[in-house]
Amino acid sequence: MQITKIQRKVKCTECHIDATYKLVLGKTSIYLCQDCLKQIYKTFSHTIAPASVISKFYIKR
């Protein structure tokens, strides 16, 4: 997954406002505005963030 800032005028895939970021997932490219990118970060923040060290080593407690 790679996020780059774009300079050309492209519409957002979700809300059809001018997009400022490009999200690349393998061969798929998704153009997003800043608000839609923030929403994606909020929804996936729990799965993307690594687990804390304590929960990794002390799961059996």
Side-chain angles (χ1 to χ4, degrees):
M1 182 167 86
Q2 181 181 5
I3 299 171
T4 57
K5 192 166 185 173
I6 56 174
Q7 299 295 326
R8 61 185 178 161
K9 291 187 177 181
V10 181
K11 296 290 183 181
C12 178
T13 308
E14 297 292 321
C15 60
H16 305 292
I17 299 174
D18 291 336
T20 54
Y21 295 99
K22 180 180 179 182
L23 176 67
V24 179
L25 300 167
K27 295 181 180 179
T28 307
S29 297
I30 302 169
Y31 297 100
L32 298 169
C33 64
Q34 189 172 5
D35 295 331
C36 293
L37 187 64
K38 285 181 183 179
Q39 287 178 352
I40 288 175
Y41 273 141
K42 285 179 184 178
T43 55
F44 292 120
S45 65
H46 300 292
T47 58
I48 293 174
S52 65
V53 175
I54 294 171
S55 63
K56 283 183 181 178
F57 293 111
Y58 299 110
I59 293 177
K60 294 182 182 180
R61 285 187 181 180

